[in-house]
Amino acid sequence: MGLKFVDDETHLNYATAEGRTVLTSDEDFPALHQQWQQMGEPHKGILYVQHERKDNIGLVVRELLFLHEAIVENAATLEYDVYNQLRYI
């Protein structure tokens, strides 16, 4: 069974409908985020791993854990710090 290609907007739509944040290194997502902002379309957040960091899995995991711990400890919130945001890792 082969994988079916799904475009970036479909991915973001699906993640939003499922209440999930997208973790990606796809260079199209910053522009897609901007488009959604201009249209007033909400999403559950995009965590964008910059090209020069995408092979450093340890760094990516540390950044994700830092964000998770900040939310758990109420130093950050999903609503303010993740939802409708484009965060660079």
Side-chain angles (χ1 to χ4, degrees), residues 12 20-23 43-47 82-86:
L12 190 54
R20 299 174 190 265
T21 300
V22 173
L23 174 66
H43 60 73
K44 297 300 182 184
I46 300 169
L47 303 176
V82 178
Y83 294 169
N84 300 308
Q85 301 294 315
L86 172 66

Side-chain angles (χ1 to χ4, degrees), residues 38-56:
Q38 290 172 348
M39 295 184 309
E41 290 291 326
H43 60 73
K44 297 300 182 184
I46 300 169
L47 303 176
Y48 177 70
V49 181
Q50 298 173 76
H51 179 74
E52 63 273 7
R53 295 180 171 191
K54 71 179 186 173
D55 292 329
N56 189 342

Side-chain angles (χ1 to χ4, degrees), residues 37-85:
Q37 292 293 298
Q38 290 172 348
M39 295 184 309
E41 290 291 326
H43 60 73
K44 297 300 182 184
I46 300 169
L47 303 176
Y48 177 70
V49 181
Q50 298 173 76
H51 179 74
E52 63 273 7
R53 295 180 171 191
K54 71 179 186 173
D55 292 329
N56 189 342
I57 191 68
L59 174 79
V60 173
V61 169
R62 280 191 302 276
E63 291 289 329
L64 294 174
L65 282 172
F66 178 81
L67 181 58
H68 172 74
E69 289 171 2
I71 292 167
V72 167
E73 297 295 325
N74 296 315
T77 67
L78 288 170
E79 290 78 11
Y80 183 78
D81 296 292
V82 178
Y83 294 169
N84 300 308
Q85 301 294 315

